[in-house]
Each structure stands twice: as structure tokens, then as C-alpha cells.
Amino acid sequence: MNGNKVHPSSKASAHYRNSNSSAAATTGAPIGRPAPLQSDSAAGCAGAKSVPVLPQMIGAAAAAAAALAASPSSSGLTPGAASLVGAGASAADSAAHNMELASLFECPVCFDYALPPVIQCQAGHIVCSNCRAKLTSCPSCRGPLANIRNLAMERLAAQVQFPCKYASNGCLAAFHHTAKAEHEEICEFRPYVCPCPGASCKWQGSLENVMQHLTQQHKSITTLQGEDIIFLATDINLPGAVDWVMMQNCFGYHFMLVLEKQERMDSQVMFYAIVQLIGTRKQAEQFAYRLELNGQRRRLTWEATPRSIHDGVHAAIANSDCLVFDSNIASLFAETGNLGISVTISMATAAAVATGSLNSSSDLPQQQQQSSSICGQGMQIG
Ligand SMILES: [Zn+2]
Ligand SMILES: [Zn+2]
Ligand SMILES: [Zn+2]
Ligand SMILES: [Zn+2]
């Protein structure tokens, strides 16, 4: 972990995790949004625990309402259960019936669904695979957890539409069990996790609360205003895995800049630089970012669409879907161990967003650093 060195070229105040200065770093107020209806909700199995019945009722009620509107016999005077006739009634019935069947798959421990392969105890009780991995005996009868598959339940599961596990957060979608997990990965009701790289912070909650979390729990992250800034990573030669993080505010949004250093198995050192938006995937698609390293007659540029923090940067880094360079390239562009990365955020145009692009060139005249760019120092994490 680094001390309190500040690179001489740093024009913005630098903030470290352990420093107690906070003035400039906290200027980014949360963007104007209505107050969240619901505070942090747990993810995973436990997410479904709170109100497993609610989605059933919503689903059934919605089906009934739709059926009511479509019903030719609707007089509009006294809509109610009694006026449900014909196709309307059967649609509502089948939604209710589906939920009844789905409830048969509820895990007695976490109330998530025990999806195929369905494993039962010797007495026939089922438990979801998540909970099963943590149990030594059946939660219903305390009997041994044998590896007995329940094929009848598995066949039944194929006939059931299971509600999304974020139903209690407001998701109304239901899926065949094979499509459920895939949806939940991208479900917009999935809680957001702390966007800081490195797994040390376990916070999760709604999008509206992310900025508040960052300004309260990660006070030392530097924030700069503007579309064009310099992200300064100091001491890039520090050994081991290090993340540098900074915030950039422009267009009314907050962007998080991440430089991650990894040491690979073959002891080669790789750097990954990426930008993520504190926002949804849809919001992120409105923007493009450009990262640029400028050095002696050299320039390395990467342009792409920012990631949404809902997706995070881990997968993108693992897939090298970001600005990637090794320690040799880093040393070409670094000055006395500090690396400045020019970051430009822009509104996406149709042509620019299509794909990420990478250009490198060594024939360029030395790039004039835009004098308007302000420079801020990335906070080191881990
Ligand atoms: Zn469970
Ligand atoms: Zn049992
Ligand atoms: Zn969902
Ligand atoms: Zn956090």
C-alpha cells in the first residue's frame, strides 16, 4: 500500500483510502432520482425469502386484469372476480395453477426453487442445490441427505414457469427452469453490488443508492468533473495485484475509471483499463469512452462503450474487452513509475458504438497534451 506521495504533475487533489481529506472527492452528488422504494435487499437464495407469495398474487392479478379487459362480457360497471368468464377465467386459473405447481418446488430453507436435478432425502423431502451444499442432513426430517433424484418432480418442473428470483424486487417475469438463471444474470431488478474492483466490499443495494455508498464508504476516491480528464496511476511498479480507481462526472452521470494490474501465472504483468457507468446497461449504451496512453512518438488508444456497473468489469477484464497492455508497454508510457491515462467520455454516435477498437502507432508526432485536461490521481485498492 502506498503512502501519500503526490505526483508533481497532478493538478487535482489526490485522495487515498487512508487519508482523511475529502473535499473535492465528494462533490459528486447523486443524480436526481426519486427516492428508492426499497432499500438494500439480499441477493442469492435469500432474496426470494421475504415475500415468496407476492409474485404469485401479482401474476395472477395481472392475468385476471388482462383477461378482464379482453372479456367481451365486461360491462365496465362492476368488474370483479365474479365477472371473469370464459377465456379470462381460465387464463387467471392457469396462472394461479402454475404458481401452485411452482410452490411445490420451494426449498424449505431459503424459499428459492429446487430446480432439476431435483434431489430428495430418503423420506422424499427436497431442498435446493445451494442449500444442499451447506447441509449435512435433511432440513425437514433430519434424515441423511442421500443422492436420490426425483424424476417425477423433474418432469413436472419442465411444465412450470418459475418466477424470477428478484420477484420481490418487482420483476414480474417467469421462466422455464432452464432459462431462469440466464434471465436473472441480466434482470434489471437484480441488486447492484459495490462497483469498486477487488472483492473486499460486500455492499449491495439499488442503483439509486450506489453513489451514496461510494461517497460514504469509499470517501478517498478522487472525483473529477468534465469529459476530458487525465487518470493518473501512481507507482505502477508496485508488486502484486493492484487496482487504481477514480470517478469522472460528466453529462449528468458518474463514471468509474479502473486500472487493474494483474500478475499472471507465468509472472507476466498485465494492465487492464476500463470505464464503467454508475447506471443501467441502457444508460451505458448512450456513451462511448476513449482511453489513451501518450508517450514519446507513441500513442495507444482504446474506444468502447462503458460497462454498466450492473455487469461490472470482471468479465470484461477476463475477456480483455478493455485497454490491455503489458509492463513493457506501461514502461514506455510511464514517467518515474506514474502512468497518465487520458480519458474522454462522449455521447455515443451510431458509428462509434458499434465495436470496441484498438489503435496503436509509433509514427505519431508527440501528442500535445490537451491543456484543458485536468489530472486526477487514482486511488489504489488492494
Ligand atoms: Zn434453498
Ligand atoms: Zn427429509
Ligand atoms: Zn427478473
Ligand atoms: Zn463498496
Side-chain angles (χ1 to χ4, degrees), residues 16-84:
Y16 292 91
R17 181 156 49 178
N18 296 327
S19 77
N20 50 16
S21 55
S22 62
T26 54
T27 51
I31 46 181
R33 287 175 184 286
L37 294 172
Q38 201 167 355
S39 58
D40 316 359
S41 52
C45 265
K49 188 186 274 178
S50 47
V51 208
V53 185
L54 184 61
Q56 306 177 14
M57 300 180 67
I58 291 171
L68 195 61
S71 166
S73 72
S74 170
S75 66
L77 288 176
T78 52
S83 68
L84 285 173

Side-chain angles (χ1 to χ4, degrees), residues 97-324:
H97 180 59
N98 180 71
M99 289 315 303
E100 213 173 293
L101 291 180
S103 70
L104 297 177
F105 291 84
E106 264 171 25
C107 169
V109 180
C110 68
F111 299 105
D112 200 357
Y113 298 105
L115 299 178
V118 179
I119 311 289
Q120 63 166 58
C121 80
Q122 283 176 346
H125 304 120
I126 62 171
V127 65
C128 84
S129 52
N130 264 343
C131 293
R132 190 171 195 286
K134 302 169 199 155
L135 292 169
T136 50
S137 61
C138 172
S140 302
C141 69
R142 304 281 152 211
L145 276 175
N147 251 334
I148 307 170
R149 275 178 73 178
N150 189 321
L151 298 178
M153 283 295 273
E154 289 181 16
R155 281 209 299 276
L156 181 61
Q159 313 289 319
V160 176
Q161 297 285 305
F162 291 94
C164 169
K165 82 168 157 195
Y166 305 114
S168 58
N169 296 0
C171 184
L172 295 178
F175 298 88
H176 189 264
H177 70 82
T178 52
K180 190 170 171 285
E182 197 180 327
H183 159 80
E184 285 161 357
E185 262 307 296
I186 58 161
C187 176
E188 56 182 312
F189 293 94
R190 176 165 59 86
Y192 283 69
V193 298
C194 176
C196 287
S200 54
C201 180
K202 301 294 180 206
W203 179 88
Q204 55 179 31
S206 67
L207 176 59
E208 289 78 6
N209 291 331
V210 172
M211 280 313 298
Q212 190 187 26
H213 166 75
L214 289 176
T215 52
Q216 288 176 356
Q217 301 301 316
H218 303 279
K219 282 194 176 78
S220 54
I221 299 180
T222 307
T223 301
L224 288 183
Q225 311 287 336
E227 301 154 33
D228 264 309
I229 60 119
I230 308 276
F231 173 23
L232 184 69
T234 52
D235 299 326
I236 58 164
N237 298 320
L238 281 178
V242 185
D243 288 293
W244 290 263
V245 176
M246 217 184 92
M247 297 298 295
Q248 178 175 1
N249 296 351
C250 54
F251 300 108
Y253 283 90
H254 307 273
F255 296 84
M256 179 180 274
L257 322 178
V258 175
L259 174 67
E260 183 161 310
K261 177 186 184 181
Q262 293 181 3
E263 238 166 73
R264 299 200 312 203
M265 301 282 264
D266 54 7
S267 80
Q268 195 184 5
V269 171
M270 298 299 292
F271 291 87
Y272 304 85
I274 192 164
V275 174
Q276 53 181 343
L277 172 73
I278 313 296
T280 63
R281 198 176 295 115
K282 264 214 180 77
Q283 290 167 335
E285 282 166 4
Q286 301 167 30
F287 296 100
Y289 72 92
R290 188 177 74 230
L291 300 177
E292 205 166 273
L293 300 179
N294 288 294
Q296 289 285 343
R297 303 184 66 82
R298 290 172 182 83
R299 181 193 300 164
L300 182 62
T301 307
W302 166 265
E303 292 181 35
T305 303
R307 306 283 292 187
S308 157
I309 54 163
H310 213 200
D311 298 323
V313 295
H314 286 290
I317 288 174
N319 296 327
S320 296
D321 186 7
C322 54
L323 175 61
V324 184

